[in-house]
Amino acid sequence: MYVAVKGGEQAISRSLELLAEARRGDPSVPELSLEQIREQLRLGVARVMQEGSLYDEELAALAMRQAAGDMLEAIFLLRAYRTTLPHFGYTRPLDTNAMRVRRRVSGTFKDIPGGQVLGPTYDYTQRLLEFGNVASEPSTQSDAPMPDVMPRVLDLLDAEALIERADAGSDPEPVDLTREPMMFPADRATRLQNLARGDEGFLLGMAYSTQRGYAESHPFAGEIRMGEVDVVICPEELGFAIEIGSITLTECQMINQFHGGHGLAPQFTRGYGLSMGEGERKAMSMALVDRTLRCDELGEPSVAPAQNQEFVLSHSDSVEASGFVQHLKLPHYVDFQAELSLLRTLSKQHAQQHPGEEACAAETSS
Amino acid sequence: MTSDYNFAFLDENTKRMLRRALLKAVALPGYQVPFGSREMPLPYGWGTGGIQLTAALLGPDDVLKVIDQGADDTTNAVNIRRFFARVTGVATTERTREASVIQTRHRIPETPLREDQILVFQVPEPEPLRTLEPREAETRTLHALADYGLMHVKLYEDIAQYGHIATSYDYPVLVDGRFLTSPSPIPKFDNPKLDRSPALMLFGAGREKRLYAIPPYTHVESLAFDDHPFEIQRWEQQCQLCGSGDSYLDEVVTDDRGSRLFVCSDTDYCGQRRAERAA
């Protein structure tokens, strides 16, 4: 006897209970506080803010806890919450030149004005698991105070006209991708916005592919800097700029070889990446992909996946990708039934045309 | 209803943006209008386009029905109905006749719709040419030129290879003689219900950020050839619950020895018929 698949409502509410239990784990273990997540999982918090397009450490920590550490789920939670927030306006462009730098490295010059500053980095940790408690050692920072403003490495090249200007090519007013749909072909400002929200893993893979021969772009890490930048808005009713706080950013400027052509002189070109918090891997990947996506503008042959803007930009978003891949677990009975009928018809035809062979559909008709 | 959020979750400016886009869609039947799709608290691919349209349409007096695969009680339909009950407090129903707005995934109800009803479709891929041409810039040009040769060639190749058109759902239609349009992944069985429907039909693709419309009484033609006319699915069986011989049937596997049961996919239609027979 056929029993209709009833009781979806009850099943969902029971599933939510099970989820709450599973998320909390053993109740004898204290629950993580948002402060703990903010303070001790700050790189995770940075990623959730970056790809969630919302700079709020508290909310990002809340999302991470609610998502039981699933970063993509946490990003999704933050994005959905973001939809409900009122929109007051846009900030002035952030001035990363005036960043209060905590880390700054260049792969292109041994020494640079302002110096190389390692700052807090995993780069030289040797990746040995540290068993036992993580002891917080007192910081032994150098006594020399950091210079207030560090000139950008790329500006040094700019002075010699060896590199294209930062505003090379067209620099239209950016559209807001959280409010307007992506349209193709997309200009660079729009592409960068998409990459900024893009999944770190996807961008990393795309960037990696450009280093392995799929659109070789000969990059050098001109400068990577991380630190605090002031956020300034200019409310219409006030008519003057006010500083509303500062946020941590990681900026990466890649320098790429360019032999000229297409009416352009040989010079270095730029790839740009920017990420909220300490997001160096993301910023570097973004800079490589940004430069690669400029192939049309620079007259480079477009042959590799990372050069194809529709390919890259349409598939970079983890919330879109995760939703659509996983929607396959929703019922598709109706379409599957339609395909089943079609396949049976085709099988019957095939059997009539090839009478010697065994008809595979014969036993399935009731 | 929860008061932490605006009525129907979206803020009023976003709803106005959606309504403007919908007006444009109604004015250009079958044309895919790009819109600033928002991130909803349900995943992309699970009905975010339909949900945004429903959110923009609902008023406090509306009665909402949500179906998935024709059924009101599939988990995703239940979840979307719960969502709107939570953020709007509107009345919900499983009766097609009682609903003023019906959000659907993959089916059109068997019960004929009326002028005072709106059917909202969830659309995974609004571009009917996408599998033939992946570039969006290119497909938009093809629509502008009404150049649908690609699709005709595809259907012709089906006939040449299999003897008939091998598309069983999401079967392409020409709306008002102008735009090639995806009817969403409804079985082609439902395509005739699109033609000159008294109800307004709206289509929302959240992930792809497109919406489109088939206004009431618009001519909708399923693509075909003179010598290979459009045909819909037919069953040798009748619904084994209500005895209907003209509804779309789901095949239910009842054991591991090949036994099958055929029942209506539209649970409300089936239930109504059974209630009438019992009376």
Side-chain angles (χ1 to χ4, degrees):
Chain A
M1 179 57 204
Y2 168 67
V3 182
V5 198
K6 280 274 181 199
E9 187 121 26
Q10 210 188 342
I12 289 175
S13 84
R14 183 73 191 113
S15 152
L16 294 178
E17 286 165 26
L18 288 172
L19 177 67
E21 259 177 57
R23 184 195 76 68
R24 180 62 182 84
D26 183 348
S28 69
V29 178
E31 183 171 44
L32 274 174
S33 72
L34 299 187
E35 291 71 34
Q36 285 174 323
I37 297 171
R38 268 180 77 167
E39 291 298 320
Q40 295 170 36
L41 298 176
R42 69 181 204 294
L43 300 184
V45 169
R47 178 172 177 197
V48 171
M49 293 195 303
Q50 170 67 26
E51 294 176 31
S53 299
L54 186 64
Y55 196 96
D56 189 314
E57 293 178 347
E58 189 87 10
L59 289 176
L62 179 65
M64 282 170 70
R65 187 172 69 181
Q66 190 174 327
D70 179 345
M71 302 301 268
L72 268 58
E73 181 71 19
I75 290 160
F76 180 17
L77 284 168
L78 211 57
R79 292 257 196 109
Y81 179 72
R82 188 188 190 282
T83 297
T84 67
L85 296 176
H87 181 257
F88 295 125
Y90 296 98
T91 67
R92 288 278 180 84
L94 298 173
D95 182 9
T96 51
N97 245 341
M99 177 185 281
R100 292 184 290 283
V101 168
R102 282 193 284 139
R103 169 169 166 76
R104 189 259 208 134
V105 291
S106 169
T108 48
F109 294 102
K110 185 172 181 186
D111 201 6
I112 40 180
Q116 305 255 17
V117 181
L118 283 187
T121 175
Y122 276 86
D123 286 351
Y124 306 104
T125 53
Q126 302 184 344
R127 272 80 180 197
L128 298 174
L129 275 178
E130 294 163 3
F131 297 101
N133 289 335
V134 186
S136 157
E137 284 172 33
S139 165
T140 51
Q141 258 190 352
S142 85
D143 300 334
M146 243 27 138
D148 278 348
V149 173
M150 288 193 186
R152 284 159 139 164
V153 174
L154 275 73
D155 292 345
L156 307 175
L157 290 169
D158 199 11
E160 262 189 274
L162 289 175
I163 191 162
E164 64 176 349
R165 296 186 48 88
D167 56 0
S170 64
D171 187 20
E173 202 53 28
V175 299
D176 180 349
L177 271 187
T178 68
R179 305 174 79 78
E180 303 288 334
M182 171 75 88
M183 301 298 283
F184 294 108
D187 59 48
R188 190 175 173 203
T190 310
R191 297 197 301 258
L192 284 168
Q193 235 181 104
N194 173 286
L195 298 179
R197 282 157 59 84
D199 180 71
E200 180 173 319
F202 176 82
L203 288 188
L204 178 67
M206 278 289 138
Y208 181 41
S209 76
T210 70
Q211 293 179 284
R212 287 198 63 263
Y214 291 88
E216 185 67 57
S217 59
H218 310 281
F220 298 93
E223 179 174 342
I224 298 158
R225 53 167 62 192
M226 182 275 288
E228 278 63 47
V229 177
D230 295 331
V231 179
V232 175
I233 58 166
C234 185
E236 251 174 64
E237 59 270 37
L238 287 185
F240 55 86
I242 49 172
E243 195 188 302
I244 56 167
S246 65
I247 62 175
T248 307
L249 289 175
T250 304
E251 182 185 57
C252 172
Q253 299 216 64
M254 288 283 176
I255 299 174
N256 300 75
Q257 218 177 73
F258 179 58
H259 294 301
H262 203 59
L264 301 168
Q267 58 183 345
F268 288 124
T269 53
R270 298 170 186 249
Y272 187 78
L274 186 71
S275 182
M276 290 176 182
E278 292 162 61
E280 201 159 287
R281 189 188 299 117
K282 167 73 181 259
M284 292 181 75
S285 303
M286 182 175 165
L288 288 180
V289 176
D290 167 48
R291 172 59 185 81
T292 309
L293 286 175
R294 296 179 60 203
C295 56
D296 288 342
E297 169 199 338
L298 295 169
E300 294 165 336
S302 172
V303 287
Q307 291 174 305
N308 182 331
Q309 60 162 278
E310 287 213 25
F311 182 84
V312 174
L313 304 177
S314 300
H315 303 112
S316 61
D317 191 275
S318 74
V319 179
E320 290 176 9
S322 166
F324 200 52
V325 166
Q326 295 199 70
H327 104 286
L328 290 175
K329 60 193 165 191
L330 290 179
H332 286 78
Y333 323 134
V334 164
D335 294 346
F336 189 71
Q337 183 62 39
E339 289 292 87
L340 215 50
S341 307
L342 176 66
L343 185 59
R344 283 177 186 147
T345 310
L346 292 176
S347 297
K348 251 179 227 164
Q349 264 175 21
H350 182 84
Q352 282 161 6
Q353 286 158 9
H354 307 82
E357 295 169 33
E358 209 164 304
C360 65
E363 66 194 35
T364 53
S365 54
S366 64
Chain B
M1 151 178 193
T2 168
S3 56
D4 298 345
Y5 293 101
N6 192 38
F7 182 85
F9 186 76
L10 296 172
D11 61 276
E12 296 304 315
N13 280 332
T14 301
K15 288 191 211 169
R16 185 168 63 180
M17 175 275 290
L18 282 161
R19 290 172 191 145
R20 283 177 173 169
L22 283 171
L23 288 175
K24 181 170 179 180
V26 169
L28 292 167
Y31 172 75
Q32 299 170 52
V33 181
F35 76 105
S37 177
R38 298 295 195 260
E39 257 120 3
M40 300 302 283
L42 277 83
Y44 280 128
W46 297 53
T48 53
I51 291 169
Q52 288 179 77
L53 300 198
T54 301
L57 295 169
L58 284 182
D61 301 328
D62 272 303
V63 179
L64 176 68
K65 172 181 163 84
V66 183
I67 50 173
D68 188 339
Q69 314 298 300
D72 299 86
D73 55 6
T74 40
T75 43
N76 200 44
V78 169
N79 204 29
I80 293 170
R81 195 164 58 238
R82 278 171 70 236
F83 173 72
F84 279 113
R86 192 167 165 185
V87 296
T88 67
V90 300
T92 60
T93 183
E94 298 193 355
R95 296 282 196 82
T96 301
R97 282 197 201 95
E98 290 172 2
S100 58
V101 177
I102 303 172
Q103 180 168 328
T104 181
R105 177 169 171 263
H106 294 192
R107 274 312 309 275
I108 297 175
E110 309 289 2
T111 309
L113 299 175
R114 300 183 309 263
E115 285 181 358
D116 60 346
Q117 293 178 308
I118 301 177
L119 188 60
V120 176
F121 292 78
Q122 301 173 197
V123 181
E125 176 49 74
E127 179 48 71
L129 297 168
R130 182 62 68 233
T131 53
L132 306 171
E133 169 53 66
R135 292 167 297 175
E136 172 69 11
E138 190 66 25
T139 50
R140 283 187 78 79
T141 307
L142 293 176
H143 281 294
L145 300 172
D147 180 354
Y148 299 132
L150 270 177
M151 184 57 84
H152 285 112
V153 169
K154 190 258 175 201
L155 297 178
Y156 171 77
E157 284 180 347
D158 273 4
I159 293 170
Q161 203 170 347
Y162 311 115
H164 52 86
I165 293 169
T167 298
S168 59
Y169 62 93
D170 206 347
Y171 190 102
V173 295
L174 197 65
V175 174
D176 198 26
R178 174 60 181 86
F179 286 106
L180 184 71
T181 305
S182 158
S184 87
I186 56 173
K188 63 179 181 175
F189 177 90
D190 283 339
N191 274 24
K193 299 176 190 165
L194 296 166
D195 185 33
R196 297 185 173 88
S197 159
L200 170 62
M201 308 230 173
L202 302 175
F203 298 77
R207 191 177 42 81
E208 297 285 342
K209 299 159 185 64
R210 299 288 185 274
L211 56 81
Y212 51 101
I214 300 177
Y217 303 108
T218 303
H219 179 45
V220 178
E221 181 193 350
S222 301
L223 294 193
F225 297 99
D226 289 345
D227 52 346
H228 284 268
F230 176 74
E231 283 176 355
I232 62 173
Q233 289 101 342
R234 305 222 174 270
W235 284 261
E236 290 161 15
Q237 300 85 354
Q238 295 179 332
C239 171
Q240 283 165 261
L241 295 179
C242 76
S244 171
D246 54 10
S247 74
Y248 192 84
L249 299 181
D250 271 348
E251 181 173 334
V252 181
V253 179
T254 51
D255 60 28
D256 56 0
R257 294 184 303 278
S259 303
R260 299 285 194 274
L261 187 71
F262 288 84
V263 293
C264 290
S265 105
D266 184 336
T267 49
D268 170 60
Y269 174 80
C270 192
Q272 298 297 320
R273 281 179 52 90
R274 276 181 287 157
E276 279 164 25
R277 280 207 309 190

